[in-house]
Amino acid sequence: MIDKQIFLDLERLKRLGMVEAVWGENKSCEQIAQILRKIKAAKQLALVTRVNEKKALELLEIFDDAKYHYDSSCLTLGDALLVEPSLGEVLIVSGGTSDFRVASEVELSLRLHGIKSEMLLDVGVAGLHRLLTNLQVINKASVVIVCAGMEGSLPTVIAGLISQPIIGVPISIGYGVSRGGEAALNGMLASCAPGLLVVNIDNGYGAAMAALRILKSGIKNNF
Amino acid sequence: MIDKQIFLDLERLKRLGMVEAVWGENKSCEQIAQILRKIKAAKQLALVTRVNEKKALELLEIFDDAKYHYDSSCLTLGDALLVEPSLGEVLIVSGGTSDFRVASEVELSLRLHGIKSEMLLDVGVAGLHRLLTNLQVINKASVVIVCAGMEGSLPTVIAGLISQPIIGVPISIGYGVSRGGEAALNGMLASCAPGLLVVNIDNGYGAAMAALRILKSGIKNNF
Amino acid sequence: MIDKQIFLDLERLKRLGMVEAVWGENKSCEQIAQILRKIKAAKQLALVTRVNEKKALELLEIFDDAKYHYDSSCLTLGDALLVEPSLGEVLIVSGGTSDFRVASEVELSLRLHGIKSEMLLDVGVAGLHRLLTNLQVINKASVVIVCAGMEGSLPTVIAGLISQPIIGVPISIGYGVSRGGEAALNGMLASCAPGLLVVNIDNGYGAAMAALRILKSGIKNNF
Amino acid sequence: MIDKQIFLDLERLKRLGMVEAVWGENKSCEQIAQILRKIKAAKQLALVTRVNEKKALELLEIFDDAKYHYDSSCLTLGDALLVEPSLGEVLIVSGGTSDFRVASEVELSLRLHGIKSEMLLDVGVAGLHRLLTNLQVINKASVVIVCAGMEGSLPTVIAGLISQPIIGVPISIGYGVSRGGEAALNGMLASCAPGLLVVNIDNGYGAAMAALRILKSGIKNNF
Amino acid sequence: MIDKQIFLDLERLKRLGMVEAVWGENKSCEQIAQILRKIKAAKQLALVTRVNEKKALELLEIFDDAKYHYDSSCLTLGDALLVEPSLGEVLIVSGGTSDFRVASEVELSLRLHGIKSEMLLDVGVAGLHRLLTNLQVINKASVVIVCAGMEGSLPTVIAGLISQPIIGVPISIGYGVSRGGEAALNGMLASCAPGLLVVNIDNGYGAAMAALRILKSGIKNNF
Amino acid sequence: MIDKQIFLDLERLKRLGMVEAVWGENKSCEQIAQILRKIKAAKQLALVTRVNEKKALELLEIFDDAKYHYDSSCLTLGDALLVEPSLGEVLIVSGGTSDFRVASEVELSLRLHGIKSEMLLDVGVAGLHRLLTNLQVINKASVVIVCAGMEGSLPTVIAGLISQPIIGVPISIGYGVSRGGEAALNGMLASCAPGLLVVNIDNGYGAAMAALRILKSGIKNNF
Amino acid sequence: MIDKQIFLDLERLKRLGMVEAVWGENKSCEQIAQILRKIKAAKQLALVTRVNEKKALELLEIFDDAKYHYDSSCLTLGDALLVEPSLGEVLIVSGGTSDFRVASEVELSLRLHGIKSEMLLDVGVAGLHRLLTNLQVINKASVVIVCAGMEGSLPTVIAGLISQPIIGVPISIGYGVSRGGEAALNGMLASCAPGLLVVNIDNGYGAAMAALRILKSGIKNNF
Amino acid sequence: MIDKQIFLDLERLKRLGMVEAVWGENKSCEQIAQILRKIKAAKQLALVTRVNEKKALELLEIFDDAKYHYDSSCLTLGDALLVEPSLGEVLIVSGGTSDFRVASEVELSLRLHGIKSEMLLDVGVAGLHRLLTNLQVINKASVVIVCAGMEGSLPTVIAGLISQPIIGVPISIGYGVSRGGEAALNGMLASCAPGLLVVNIDNGYGAAMAALRILKSGIKNNF
């Protein structure tokens, strides 16, 4: 019954060129459905993050044109935006298989905004050769997004090797002092490598939107 | 007497296009002098951050071609790099006069790498009109770097208004829960605005190097 | 069997003009029922906060004159107090739909004490225009209570725009560094806006009682 | 040389009825002097908080119409505002002599805005009788501001005894777990007394501005 | 199969006059059963704390002479120790009904060691009169144990009123900053009242054993 | 000029049998002098803790009957209380020489209240034999107070060996994770030994007052 | 479907002589199965830690040559490595029965690498005699690994008694300030005993691999 | 006057083969002198860590056979122990010049116990090539001790490359989230590399003693 008081930011698309992501974790199905109806009525693309399977099934019953993405636990309604292909490509690097959900959230968020990306998984620094043999792939990307839990040193090592923009996404997976992702977060912020940028723990969507800002800025800078 | 064991990263310039910044705060004059001699011998540009006035005077005695920058508490040795002007411009925004030292470190670090920047000081969110009347200036920049202490909400508000890359620099100035800069840091990481990027507290040099990566990436993306 | 040793503060109503709220989260149904019987026997109004649906159903079976409020997860027994209408009106502002449960606890707590309030939801600072177009509504209120999670900058922005008493309620909803509500709490405490007041994370009842103290003080001040 | 880029919030007085306080602790004399000149040119009242004696003497040399307040470590330039006397009176209560500087900052900040206040010092809860014998004084105040360090339980005890608005100011004085003021801050936020409001540690100015908002709201509510 | 490697401290009774408490929360039924068998074989009294109902039922099936105490979530096997009645009496005071489980753990632990105690519940400081009208009861006790969650100021207030030994037990019940019991713990440690002693959060058994040490010391001191 | 508003707790002596300790660390000489004059006028004994040498010299100039105690950094004015010798003796144990100042504060605080104590220094657990060869001395004490910094395990080991009341005083001396005393504090609170009691970090006076409560309770219990 | 992007560190065995442990806690059955297939194809030994019973049963269905180890919650696939017996023996000491799962993870991890170990359980410092009577056993070991929760003082006491390499494993079991294992971790790091080494909370596998490094180094040092 | 109560652990040398290090930071010159006299009387070697220059000069006046080591801020009295050369060599690796004091404390502590070591400075991961070109040197060492501040990822990278025992020493040098050394400490504890061991922040002496334990264990294992 809170329907009429909700002020969705439907002009975000026009203002920022970004779809408003609905954070699904602490919202009830009913709350999400209300929001989706508003977005649909405005003929916009909807992205709901952190939707568990149970909630997703309920929402798919209500919205038969919605789609659930298991890998990223996201639900979408509507088609991806079209962006000119010249924007460049994003590479998503990850230190371990446990980072896969967040890495997938990055990939989906980019795809919805018309940005192509590739993934390079399980290249953690404990086995450095995996990273070094992939350096060429890394060097081709316009922006590199690195997901890492535990001590989070992967983005530091990569930032020392390449000159492109690089965004670290700390992952909450871990135990003991790395439980919750703070050791990884602080490791990335305290990094001795110059110019490493950081977003909140597990914030795949945020990293994707930052990459989008950077890629678009490339166009602007040259005209 | 530790001289011969030091392995400076003198190839950073070639590899990353960045000058290695020497963090001066916890080094003795003697240690800094040793490092400066090595950099000078390699004919590279030296940037020492967080050098207090007393240390600076001692170092200026030793290196008569060094220069001390009061506003940013930095010391440099050698000439700024030349970079093609087409890279675009950076805007440095700050919430209060107390952020000035870090904002100046950003400006100097950019200038040494051939990047032009402007400053917009004291436009904190408690007097929102100051920000809104400067929106046009903000919108012209290729990258926006926002320094903010206290609750650190300034980059969040700006990130909701513009579509360019935006980097938040939390400032350690404050008292009570904002003492040390963690309230500002967490506020920026937790931001509800999409795609806000963050560096370590007071890390002006890091924000500048991230902006450099972004500006260069703009060139790459278009050729 | 602890019944006879409980000393409820039944004179709170007389002393402070406030109903004693029973915090239901960590009490068993049996414990809540014992307390409700005592309050009922004293012919007072009972407010139990943070009662989940399962507990509520059990309690509704025992007390057929009790009422469960889904939006705020509160249970009440007895009728709202009557207060003269001249006390002024409270506006409850919130940054996102996830704050709705706490905002509803504010609203219910006020209503039980005879205070009228309105809600303005989803006006987060990432889309500033939503707030600015509602400034007139905000300016009419005698007291403004702002619920915000994430980085919690909404009350700071509003406190810079209006001169009325303003109370920030940090919300525990969020992830990473904003998980648990501490980033929002510290952001409100560290606020650069003058005179912003804060209560504990998720403490909707407390914010309402503070507003009640303020509204009553208005009467007292003028006689 | 940062002079022309400073955007002081000189309309704060008109917008909020409050003087902009300059936080003096981390600003150099030169920075404070620049700001004072701007405020003076705008013919406004200036309040600089946390100015140590050494800085104060330098500033008094520059501005011969400035005044230094030892008790509160504040410096002012210009005359207090005139406010109608009917706004009511504030009582400042403190748990120990060590809270005196912050209590004095509250008193000065109120006086500059034309608000009268009284102080009741050293009535900590470890000697409860001191508080109970002063209850009548406390009950006469329109707003009560309570400064407390250590465990910070004084505002909780008072909030259980009176029905007026009550604002807790945690004090950073203490040792061990109370060092820095967080034990007092959390104690006030976690308070079992209904409707206790809190500001940042040592934030005397903030508490005063909140009291001002409340006192003014009393007028508004009745017209 | 770890059986033969367990070295229970069965001489604790002789050495300290205390029963070894088995902390049941993170042990499996099988692990607890193994330990109980060893204690039983040594003809000692067994006290298992933090046993949930499910585990208790399983254990009661195995040990038909065991007894489950619902109020304290403890399980015992064997008879209470006999102690001369002259040791004096303990008073258990609590700030709210939610503290009841821990208060009951104190009571049971004392009873098993032959010490008599009384309970005074729900006398939180927000309604000070409840405490003051019970001062005579409090003054009769040899040792006072005070359980308090939230801001934990109850033991501070009592310690300022009486001269007996007083032990604060912080309770983990609460939300926001008092969630987990740290605000209460720090409040008790930072207490401005002289000579308040503290144990770990929720450590009812520990507070009881400390009281036992004190009561026995009374005998020793006089012979 | 704050003189007339100070409400010293001069009845503490009568009520609790304890001298009010003035915490000297964050008070100016002038503030301490004002307080001392009030206590002197009331013909009571004054104890000021944490007075550095510089302040002490200034105060000794003003009060020629004052006495400065270097070992404990305390200043006293007036004679120690007389207490019947039958109260028993306190043993002060310490893990390292760095704990000596706090151990001395315990000793002085006890002596002022007529309680005799002995010290056993430098018996840290890393050389267990030092402790074991002193067990007989430890066993003779009525109350044992153990000061320990670093990991703070000394009181745990002792509490497992003796049955008397035992009070742990965490010491702030240390580096890295033990810096500030929190590792020692948490180690004592988390102790696996039954009935170990704890006071705030460095709180020698508090530990002494707790011992006084215990020793007096011994008398009460037996009459 | 992430299969082809996974870069397992299959050369770890050759490079470090260690099996790569798969951290099973936050991986789905499907993710673990994919990894196990890759390891199996490479004819290597697989060790999956922190696999709950439910996941284990599913995996045992898929891999009929896998084995689940209840005590340590680990799953293995393939045979233990063969190592020459002369490497020496490890002793695993633990303070309480609740540490058994982690102690078992140490034992299994060692066994898979061909290292023999013994366990000494429940010898916590609160009953010191248990430790002292086992000193001879402890003195025979080449490396001692000590698991301890609560205040974690057991490794400190042992490190003061023996001269062998000693590794502390903090255990997350506990409540209040020892909940999560940080009190134990900090207690071990802050230890006053010289040369105590520490691994992450609950990191049994890590402690075992460190012991393996030490035992192998013994060989190397002597040839 | 505390002299006779000090129980130095003079048998540590016999028991553990280690010199007792006196932690000099929080001890007065007089306290250190008392201890040195005792050690000298026992004809043992004395090592005092964290002695600043001022204290050192005072102590050198008293003890003309003492020696001050500027690089490590340590003071010694007496000759280094003799140990058979076959024990193997330690390599001390460091990420930056600021780690030099702690690295020197490691070197001195080893040398005093007859152990040879080499240093490899400034090979931080941001310039990985410096590390990779030194791999052969690293591989020759029996034990590797890695000092690292900032994000502390250097020991993780090395532990993935070599199979010897490796000890990480977090360094307190840094700013923002790495200030105090906790980011480095947690990064090392959370390391994804198997078998990395950690000591307290800045604990050079501790790392050296751990290396000594390991080197000696090598002998024991083979005889």
Side-chain angles (χ1 to χ4, degrees), chain D residues 97-98 100 119-123 126-127 129-130 134 173-177 179, chain F residues 2 5-9 12 15 23 26-27 31 35 50 180 185 200-201 203:
Chain D
T97 315
S98 301
F100 186 59
M119 271 198 208
L120 194 63
L121 297 181
D122 246 329
V123 293
H129 56 98
R130 297 175 295 185
N134 279 298
I173 299 297
Y175 61 94
V177 299
R179 162 201 340 125
Chain F
I2 64 166
Q5 295 134 316
I6 297 180
F7 293 83
L8 283 183
D9 187 9
R12 180 179 286 189
R15 212 169 64 245
W23 189 61
N26 281 65
K27 294 199 178 67
Q31 285 179 323
I35 294 171
R50 307 198 188 207
L185 170 65
N200 195 6
I201 297 161
N203 191 5

Side-chain angles (χ1 to χ4, degrees), chain G residues 2-223:
Chain G
I2 64 167
D3 203 41
K4 65 173 192 283
Q5 295 134 316
I6 299 180
F7 293 82
L8 284 182
D9 186 8
L10 293 170
E11 294 178 51
R12 178 179 287 189
L13 189 58
K14 213 168 81 191
R15 214 169 61 246
L16 307 183
M18 297 172 201
V19 164
E20 190 177 22
V22 179
W23 188 60
E25 193 157 31
N26 281 68
K27 293 197 179 68
S28 66
C29 260
E30 191 188 353
Q31 286 180 320
I32 297 174
Q34 276 182 334
I35 293 171
L36 287 181
R37 269 184 223 109
K38 289 218 163 192
I39 296 177
K40 201 174 173 178
K43 293 183 203 287
Q44 289 205 4
L45 166 63
L47 164 61
V48 194
T49 62
R50 307 199 187 208
V51 182
N52 62 31
E53 215 176 313
K54 191 168 158 298
K55 270 190 206 170
L57 291 176
E58 276 188 63
L59 288 165
L60 290 175
E61 296 260 315
I62 305 175
F63 301 92
D64 53 10
D65 46 348
K67 189 170 170 200
Y68 186 57
H69 308 259
Y70 279 89
D71 288 347
S72 59
S73 301
C74 290
L75 185 140
T76 53
L77 190 64
D79 298 320
L81 306 179
L82 287 181
V83 180
E84 46 276 79
S86 65
L87 278 186
E89 194 171 298
V90 174
L91 182 74
I92 306 162
V93 186
S94 130
T97 314
S98 301
D99 311 339
F100 186 60
R101 195 200 65 70
V102 175
S104 299
E105 186 183 306
V106 176
E107 192 274 336
L108 176 66
S109 303
L110 286 170
R111 185 153 35 96
L112 290 179
H113 290 81
I115 307 292
K116 247 181 75 181
S117 67
E118 299 241 351
M119 273 198 206
L120 194 62
L121 299 181
D122 246 330
V123 294
V125 297
L128 206 58
H129 56 97
R130 297 176 294 185
L131 183 68
L132 298 177
T133 59
N134 279 298
L135 253 186
Q136 249 184 335
V137 179
I138 298 174
N139 254 319
K140 280 191 327 205
S142 296
V143 176
V144 178
I145 294 175
V146 189
C147 303
M150 310 293 276
E151 89 294 341
S153 58
L154 184 55
T156 287
V157 171
I158 297 179
L161 293 169
I162 67 168
S163 65
Q164 294 101 297
I166 172 163
I167 300 166
V169 187
I171 301 294
S172 65
I173 300 297
Y175 61 92
V177 300
S178 67
R179 163 202 336 124
E182 263 182 70
L185 171 65
N186 288 339
M188 293 181 193
L189 288 168
S191 173
C192 57
L196 173 59
L197 293 161
V198 186
V199 295
N200 196 7
I201 297 161
D202 294 338
N203 190 6
Y205 165 74
M209 289 310 94
L212 181 66
R213 287 176 183 265
I214 291 170
L215 290 173
K216 282 189 173 167
S217 140
I219 303 182
K220 185 174 176 180
N221 292 351
N222 287 277
F223 292 98

Side-chain angles (χ1 to χ4, degrees), chain B residues 2 6-7 9 15 23 180, chain H residues 100 122 126 129-130 173 179:
Chain B
I2 64 166
I6 299 181
F7 292 84
D9 187 9
R15 214 170 61 244
W23 189 60
Chain H
F100 185 60
D122 246 331
H129 56 97
R130 297 176 295 185
I173 299 297
R179 164 200 337 126

Side-chain angles (χ1 to χ4, degrees), chain C residues 84-89 142 214-223, chain D residues 86-87 214-223:
Chain C
E84 45 279 75
S86 65
L87 276 187
E89 193 171 299
S142 296
I214 292 170
L215 290 173
K216 281 188 173 167
S217 140
I219 303 180
K220 186 174 176 180
N221 292 350
N222 288 275
F223 292 98
Chain D
S86 65
L87 277 187
I214 292 170
L215 290 173
K216 281 190 173 164
S217 138
I219 304 181
K220 185 173 176 181
N221 293 351
N222 288 276
F223 291 97

Side-chain angles (χ1 to χ4, degrees), chain C residues 154-222:
Chain C
L154 185 55
T156 288
V157 171
I158 298 179
L161 294 168
I162 67 169
S163 64
Q164 294 101 298
I166 171 164
I167 299 166
V169 187
I171 300 293
S172 65
I173 300 296
Y175 61 92
V177 299
S178 66
R179 164 202 335 125
E182 262 182 70
L185 171 65
N186 288 339
M188 293 180 192
L189 288 167
S191 173
C192 58
L196 173 59
L197 293 160
V198 187
V199 295
N200 195 6
I201 298 162
D202 293 340
N203 190 4
Y205 166 74
M209 290 309 96
L212 181 65
R213 286 176 184 265
I214 292 170
L215 290 173
K216 281 188 173 167
S217 140
I219 303 180
K220 186 174 176 180
N221 292 350
N222 288 275

Side-chain angles (χ1 to χ4, degrees), chain C:
Chain C
M1 219 59 73
I2 65 168
D3 204 40
K4 65 173 192 284
Q5 294 133 314
I6 298 180
F7 292 83
L8 284 182
D9 186 8
L10 294 169
E11 294 179 49
R12 178 179 288 188
L13 189 59
K14 211 167 83 191
R15 211 169 66 246
L16 307 183
M18 296 172 204
V19 164
E20 189 176 23
V22 179
W23 189 59
E25 194 157 31
N26 282 65
K27 294 198 178 69
S28 66
C29 260
E30 192 189 351
Q31 285 179 320
I32 297 175
Q34 276 181 333
I35 294 170
L36 287 181
R37 269 184 222 106
K38 288 220 163 188
I39 296 178
K40 201 175 172 178
K43 292 182 203 286
Q44 288 205 5
L45 167 61
L47 164 62
V48 193
T49 62
R50 305 197 189 208
V51 182
N52 61 32
E53 217 177 311
K54 192 170 156 298
K55 271 191 205 170
L57 291 177
E58 277 189 62
L59 288 165
L60 290 175
E61 294 261 315
I62 305 175
F63 301 93
D64 54 8
D65 48 346
K67 189 170 169 199
Y68 185 57
H69 307 259
Y70 279 88
D71 289 347
S72 59
S73 301
C74 291
L75 185 140
T76 52
L77 190 63
D79 298 320
L81 306 179
L82 287 182
V83 180
E84 45 279 75
S86 65
L87 276 187
E89 193 171 299
V90 174
L91 182 74
I92 305 162
V93 185
S94 131
T97 315
S98 301
D99 312 337
F100 185 60
R101 194 201 65 71
V102 176
S104 299
E105 186 183 305
V106 176
E107 192 273 338
L108 176 66
S109 302
L110 287 169
R111 185 152 36 94
L112 290 180
H113 290 81
I115 306 292
K116 244 179 79 181
S117 68
E118 300 241 350
M119 271 196 207
L120 193 63
L121 297 182
D122 246 330
V123 293
V125 296
L128 206 59
H129 56 98
R130 296 175 296 185
L131 182 67
L132 297 177
T133 58
N134 279 298
L135 253 185
Q136 249 184 336
V137 179
I138 298 174
N139 255 318
K140 279 192 325 203
S142 296
V143 176
V144 177
I145 293 175
V146 188
C147 302
M150 311 293 276
E151 91 292 343
S153 58
L154 185 55
T156 288
V157 171
I158 298 179
L161 294 168
I162 67 169
S163 64
Q164 294 101 298
I166 171 164
I167 299 166
V169 187
I171 300 293
S172 65
I173 300 296
Y175 61 92
V177 299
S178 66
R179 164 202 335 125
E182 262 182 70
L185 171 65
N186 288 339
M188 293 180 192
L189 288 167
S191 173
C192 58
L196 173 59
L197 293 160
V198 187
V199 295
N200 195 6
I201 298 162
D202 293 340
N203 190 4
Y205 166 74
M209 290 309 96
L212 181 65
R213 286 176 184 265
I214 292 170
L215 290 173
K216 281 188 173 167
S217 140
I219 303 180
K220 186 174 176 180
N221 292 350
N222 288 275
F223 292 98

Side-chain angles (χ1 to χ4, degrees), chain D residues 47 49 104-113 204-205 208-209:
Chain D
L47 164 62
T49 62
S104 299
E105 186 183 306
V106 175
E107 191 274 337
L108 176 66
S109 303
L110 286 170
R111 184 151 38 94
L112 290 179
H113 290 82
Y205 166 75
M209 290 309 95

